[in-house]
Amino acid sequence: MTNPPTIEDLLEAARRRIEVEPEEIDEARTRRNAIGAALRDEFPGSRVYVNGSLAHGDALTPLSDVDLGVVVPDPDHEYGPGKRGPRALQDRAADAIRSELKDTYGDLRVQVEGNKRSVKIWFRDPVHPGGPDFTADVIVAIDDPAAPGLYIPRYATWDKSHPERHTQLVLAAIKDSEVRFARVVRLLKHWDRHRSTPPLCSWHIKVLGLDCLDTPGSLRDGLVDWFEHTERAIQDGPTPDPAHVGPDIETVVPKTEALRHVRNAIDGLREAIELEDAGWHTLAHDKLAKLFNDAEMLPAPPRHEVEEQEAERLRHRRDADRHAHTRPRPALAPPPVRSWSW
């Protein structure tokens, strides 16, 4: 008879099911590199940086997008807040991408108009068979000449951010935690996407993880630590930018709704752990499956096994209660004898 899977076993299997596949990674990097080469040719002396899930090592399958940026030299300080906006640079980037990639990828769609920050590219060709169309978001940025960080587009104006530092922080956490950071974040991103309304953006999930997932350990304990930390952090208000450059990070939904999702997850995870510690492994498995709400990622145990173990658990509880009520009461101790001194 084999031992039932532990919570840690189930989480390990689940995170493998949602990991991006090597073939997807290779193809996505090929396309990202082609975009980067076109940007370097268009903007001599520029530097290209990568960020997002592929760069951070927490991408989910099917992989549907990549993120990268180009930092354009601005020796005459023409661009920036109070000066020229980003549109001319974005149009140059879009034209270069169309021109350089059309022979290889054919019917690309490249759009600037209406986007808040990025030049958006639709390849009209997924990297995962049967998956969604593959896209790329390209940020055309300039250095802040007076302080660390970049100016990135916000429609016709600029915002301050530090995406290069963000990627450094994430990669450091992955190294310090011996990859646990990326694996727990991947599970959390999947959990977030399977809520009725996702409460947090993926970057917010990672920022919250920087404070509690930067050491080695189990996936189970990592989830507990993240949910407990996140409950406190959301109560305190918006999450500060970890690079101390950009704006604070808000929940996607109202704070009360985000807290409801997080607290429900904490309760479900704690119940699963208590059931496992008490030896009710099938019930713990079922509770964990309900937490993630995705039968492909973490299948629930057979329903009849859950019902049988729940009935057995209730019998044990009734027997324990009956035994407690029928146990003989201890005899009352005699009253203390008082000594009198005359």
Side-chain angles (χ1 to χ4, degrees):
M1 181 177 178
T2 59
N3 292 326
T6 65
I7 289 174
E8 190 69 11
D9 294 334
L10 294 167
L11 292 173
E12 280 286 349
R15 65 98 180 161
R16 287 191 176 95
R17 292 189 188 100
I18 59 176
E19 279 183 347
V20 66
E21 298 176 2
E23 295 79 9
E24 295 176 87
I25 294 174
D26 291 344
E27 179 60 26
R29 285 176 174 165
T30 296
R31 298 184 189 192
R32 188 180 66 186
N33 291 343
I35 296 169
L39 294 170
R40 290 187 188 94
D41 287 344
E42 177 63 23
F43 301 106
S46 63
R47 70 180 185 274
V48 172
Y49 67 86
V50 295
N51 62 348
S53 63
L54 184 62
H56 295 169
D58 53 57
L60 301 173
T61 190
L63 182 61
S64 60
D65 68 320
V66 289
D67 300 274
L68 69 158
V70 58
V71 184
V72 177
D74 184 26
D76 298 325
H77 306 295
E78 296 178 57
Y79 298 90
K83 302 176 184 178
R84 293 184 66 182
R87 183 58 188 263
L89 298 176
Q90 291 176 307
D91 285 340
R92 284 178 59 188
D95 290 343
I97 291 166
R98 287 191 196 96
S99 175
E100 293 297 321
L101 273 65
K102 64 181 180 181
D103 289 344
T104 303
Y105 296 103
D107 189 22
L108 288 173
R109 179 186 169 198
V110 185
Q111 180 181 327
V112 177
E113 185 68 36
N115 296 339
K116 180 179 180 179
R117 298 200 187 281
S118 68
V119 177
K120 187 82 172 184
I121 304 164
W122 288 265
F123 279 82
R124 307 180 194 271
D125 180 19
V127 299
H128 186 283
D133 187 15
F134 189 76
T135 65
D137 286 295
V138 177
I139 300 295
V140 181
I142 58 173
D143 279 309
D144 180 349
L150 305 176
Y151 287 120
I152 65 172
R154 179 184 176 87
Y155 297 114
T157 60
W158 302 90
D159 271 344
K160 189 69 184 293
S161 186
H162 204 337
E164 293 167 301
R165 178 59 179 158
H166 292 163
T167 296
Q168 291 170 359
L169 291 169
V170 169
L171 296 180
I174 293 172
K175 180 180 178 181
D176 291 344
S177 67
E178 298 176 0
V179 192
R180 182 174 74 142
F181 178 94
R183 291 173 176 174
V184 175
V185 163
R186 186 177 283 114
L187 291 168
L188 289 165
K189 286 168 60 176
H190 195 84
W191 165 82
D192 182 76
R193 293 182 185 184
H194 283 75
R195 303 309 94 198
S196 54
T197 304
L200 305 170
C201 70
S202 61
W203 173 235
H204 200 173
I205 290 171
K206 285 183 261 198
V207 172
L208 291 163
L210 291 173
D211 291 327
C212 60
L213 296 174
D214 57 348
T215 57
S218 69
L219 300 179
R220 189 192 81 166
D221 291 346
L223 289 173
V224 172
D225 291 345
W226 186 90
F227 280 119
E228 290 180 346
H229 170 73
T230 295
E231 181 186 25
R232 294 189 298 269
I234 292 175
Q235 286 177 314
D236 289 344
T239 303
D241 171 28
H244 309 293
V245 169
D248 292 347
I249 308 165
E250 304 270 2
T251 55
V252 175
V253 299
K255 174 178 172 178
T256 53
E257 185 178 349
L259 281 171
R260 177 178 61 83
H261 284 295
V262 169
R263 286 168 177 162
N264 287 343
I266 292 172
D267 291 343
L269 190 54
R270 286 173 178 159
E271 288 177 33
I273 292 170
E274 289 173 3
L275 288 165
E276 179 175 80
D277 290 345
W280 306 110
H281 293 276
T282 300
L283 299 181
H285 181 171
D286 188 56
K287 184 65 67 174
L288 194 67
K290 289 176 179 175
L291 169 67
F292 284 99
N293 192 34
D294 181 1
E296 292 186 8
M297 176 259 202
L298 205 163
R303 196 71 232 155
H304 72 276
E305 292 183 11
V306 175
E307 292 170 353
E308 288 172 3
Q309 192 160 97
E310 181 60 24
E312 183 182 357
R313 187 172 76 98
L314 291 174
R315 283 196 300 272
H316 274 261
R317 180 180 293 174
R318 284 195 298 268
D319 290 345
D321 290 343
R322 189 179 303 114
H323 181 69
H325 285 99
T326 58
R327 185 183 305 152
R329 294 184 178 180
L332 292 175
V337 176
R338 298 183 66 183
S339 290
W340 296 92
S341 58
W342 299 91

